[in-house]
Structures are given as C-alpha cells and as structure tokens.
Amino acid sequence: MNILTLLIFTPILVAFVIAVLPSSWRAGFKYITLATTLVQLGMSIWIYTHFKNGAGFAGVNHEGQFQFIQKLPWINLDLGAMGKMQIDYFVGIDGLSIALLVMTSLVLVIAALASWEIKSNLKGFFVLFLILDMAVIGVFCSLDFFLFYIFYELMLLPLYFLIGMWGGARREYAAIKFFLYTLFGSVFMLLVMIGLYLSVKDPVTGNHTFSMIQMMNPVNYEAGSVFSVLNHATILGMPARSVGFVVLFIAFAIKVPVVPLHTWLPDAHVEAPTPVSIILAGVLLKVGGYGIIRICVGIFPEIAHADAYWLGMIGVISIIYGALNALAQQDLKRMIAYSSVSHMGFVLLGIASMTTEGLSGAVMQMVSHGFLSTMLFFLAGVIYNRVHDRGINHFRGLAAIMPKYTSFVVIAFFASLGLPGFSAFIGEAFSLTGAFKSPSVNGLLPYWMPVCGSVGILLGAAYFLWTLQRMFFGTLNLKGGSVWKTALADLNIREKLTLLPLALLTLVLGLMPSLVFGKINDSVVAFIQFLGSK
C-alpha cells in the first residue's frame, strides 16, 4: 500500500468506524479523531524525512521525477472507434507539495485539539471533520485533474455543514455564502477541465488523459484542439487558453481569497467554530495558492507570463485592502480574517514575479501563514469560549489576569507582522525580493508593486500592535465586569500543549528556513526554468 494512499484514506476509514459506533461512546470520538490526525502527522513526517533532493527528483513536468507515486487504472470506458477513456488514480508529490502536506497534517492535529469545545452531535461533527481531512490531504497529493477535482469539491460539503450546524448566530448565511462562492468557481473549472482532457493525449497510450503533468507539455496537445498552444482557438472571441487561465484563476482565487472575491471569508470565519476556522485559514486558503501554482501557471505558463502584471496588481491590492480592513475591525476574529487576505496577497505577488526567490517566498508564506493563522484563530477561540465575546474594545488589561495567554498572543502577533527571526519575515522578504528582482530579470512587474507591498507590512504592524495595546495592556477593564474576570482563566494544559509547538515552529522556520527551502528548492528552480522556456 502506497504511503500517500494510506495518508489520504485513513481518515475516511476512521470516520466509518465512528459512524457505526454507538452514541454512548461519544466521549471517545474526540480521542479517536486526535489519534487519527497524529498518525497522519507521523506519516507525513516520515514522507518528509524520506523525500529525496536533487534535480532528478524535482518533479514539476516530469512524471518520473515525482516521489511516492501510485498510478492505478480507475475508470475505463471503451469508446469504440473513438478510442478509450481512462481516468487514473494518480497520486505523487514533489517539492511544491511536500511542505504544504506536512503543514496540513499538523494543522489538522491542532484543529482536532480545538474540537474539544464542540458539545453537541459529536458523531456528526467528527465524521464530517474526518471527511474534510481526507479531502484536503487528497488535493495536495493528486496528479490527475479529475481526482484533484473530486477532492477539491469534496471539501465543500463537510465545510458547509460544519459551519451551518455548529457555527454562530448567522451560521446559515455564512455557510450558504461560502457554498455559492466556491461552487461558482468550481462549475466553470469543470468545463475547463473537460476541455483540457479533450485536448491532451497521453504520448504512451495515445488516449486522452486528465494527467496534470501531461497537460503541462504543449507537445501532448492534439492538433486543432481547443486548448492547443498552436491552434489559437477562440471562445466568445477571446483566445481559448486565456479564457481557460482566467476561469481557473477565479476558481482558485476565491479560495485564496483575493480581492474582490474575498467577501465570504470574514463571514465564514466569524460564524464558524474554532476548529473549522483553523482549517479554513490554515489549509483551505493554501489550496487556492497551490492550485494557482500547479494548475493555472503550470498548464497555461505563457498566459501567466503575459498577465503577470495583473496578477501582481491583484496581489498588491489584496495586501493593502486586507490590511486597511483589518485595521478597522472591532471583532478579533474578523480582524484576523482580514489579515489573512492581506498576508495571502504576498503569495500572489511572489508567484507573479516569476522568479525563484518570489516562488520560494510564496510557498514559505503559505507554510508560515498556515501555522500562524492556526495559532491566531485558536487564541481567538480560547477567549470566546470563556466569555462568548470577541469585541476588541470589550477587553482591556488582560495581561494582568491571563499572563500565559498574553505571552502566546504577543508571539503570534509579532510573528505575523513580519518580525525578523520568525517565519513570516522569511516568506514576505523572499516574495518582495522576487518582486524587486522581476523588473530587471524578466521585466514583468514594475518596481512600485513591491514598494506598495512593503506598506502592507507597516499596516500589519499597526493593526496587530494596536489590538495588543487595546486588549492586553493598561488598567483592567472588562465589559462583563467581575463575571468576566472570574471566567477568564489562564491557559489550561491542553491549550498550552496546542500552542507551544506552533510558537516553536514559527521561530524555528524563521531561524532555519532551510527546513522548507531545502525540500522545495529543486522543484522551484525546475518550475521557473519551465516557465522561462515558454
């Protein structure tokens, strides 16, 4: 059994076990789920330690260079004179996915620990949680577009119910809004996926294929097909490949999310329970960034190169707009949600630079933000679980009664604003370095873009430090008075054990970024060389 297959499908097997267990065992469901995520984390660490470095293992557009591959026939149809339709179960990883895979496994452990707050319908919650677990891991391992799409869509259903059933007062509105936004992008993604399938042929079998690796090679496109590089076909008067790129970009940009496709995110975060907010920010946003790199830019490199200016522009707008909105928020969770919009803008700016430094920074920023957003939303959940309030102006002087909690908040805030020595600084610095290098190397981005991106770091310091000053320092003053003072107990053992590895990781990655760069570098270099050849 392939290790990636075990990693993907272990959660669904455990979900089935939980589903058939009697409800009298409900107190043990959280422990079973936590054990499952810990086993996954162990497998992902094993994969990380056994991941091979070197140009011969870079992957990107060479099937034989991907690692831990498993390729099995899945759906076979004999179409007679038209040949055969074959869809493969095709999984494997390269440097672009290994770091995100490990990050996702750890975030899922933290989300499982955060699920201790769930008190109602535990069986339903943990079954849906494990289905979502399977789907997000499957996305980062899939090399067949059809398989990728199934996992991508499968994330939608459990998230809809997890928000709609266990969320806050406006949970139905937030769940429906999230569902419609995501479905809007996914429906049109399906059409592009079908068009690509009908355009690409496997050079070995001669049959049409959903392999994303084969889709990256222009030689595999059938002459006269809609997405052929040489055919110059049009859709509604526009170049077909440009339409395909834009449609796929919109689908993934909704997940990132970028302005103006971001409006589902604050509502979903505010209404979602803490473990779901952790998965949304820590993993779901990275699925969008990964999709842009692997599919949009990888399959349509010449369009990405031609439209790099607009990708960079959208990234800069997201950085500034998200930061300004975060600065205006009075709800702690909504402030963190808008900060995610700003920080993910650096990912898009790094990708748009089309440089090794920029792409490395984009991947590092996704990994760093995965850990930091998980930490921030867990901290927001701690205070909400105690007094059921997140109003920034409803708290003052919390450091006096919650010193341990305040210590972790200080670490999370300073790490998130890009303080040197923490992982976010590395991600943002490399993204900006790539954007500054881009004009002189390939002439894609103007110099004002990284300059404006740097302003986003300054605004980040403003909203994080202002929130820290208002909530944690000064004379103790709580909206709920003595009742809140009694309820606001400091961190317990479970909460400290949850936050400690996140705090250590963001420091370790800031001091030793080679833990990420060492694994992704060969694939990043190969990917940039691939883009440069188009």
Side-chain angles (χ1 to χ4, degrees), residues 432 435-441 444-454:
L432 292 174
F436 270 115
K437 183 180 177 181
S438 181
S440 59
V441 173
L444 295 179
L445 303 182
Y447 285 110
W448 64 262
M449 284 190 181
V451 171
C452 290
S454 302

Side-chain angles (χ1 to χ4, degrees), residues 60-63 66 71 86-88 90 142-149 189-203 207-222 225 227-229 241 248 252 294-302 527 530 534:
V60 180
N61 65 329
H62 299 285
E63 182 175 319
F66 279 81
K71 188 174 185 180
Q86 179 171 317
I87 303 174
D88 296 321
F90 186 18
S142 298
L143 295 178
D144 183 275
F145 205 161
F146 190 87
L147 185 65
F148 176 95
Y149 185 81
M189 184 200 296
L190 177 62
L191 297 178
V192 175
M193 182 182 76
I194 294 171
L196 286 167
Y197 168 78
L198 295 174
S199 300
V200 178
K201 283 195 171 183
D202 189 308
N207 298 324
H208 291 289
T209 179
F210 281 103
S211 170
M212 292 189 288
I213 301 173
Q214 302 299 344
M215 290 176 180
M216 294 178 71
N217 191 345
V219 175
N220 296 332
Y221 284 79
E222 193 174 12
S225 62
F227 287 121
S228 172
V229 178
R241 288 183 64 83
L248 290 174
F252 293 122
R294 175 75 73 192
I295 297 179
C296 290
V297 179
I299 296 178
F300 300 100
E302 79 285 0
F527 193 76
F530 166 75
K534 302 305 171 187

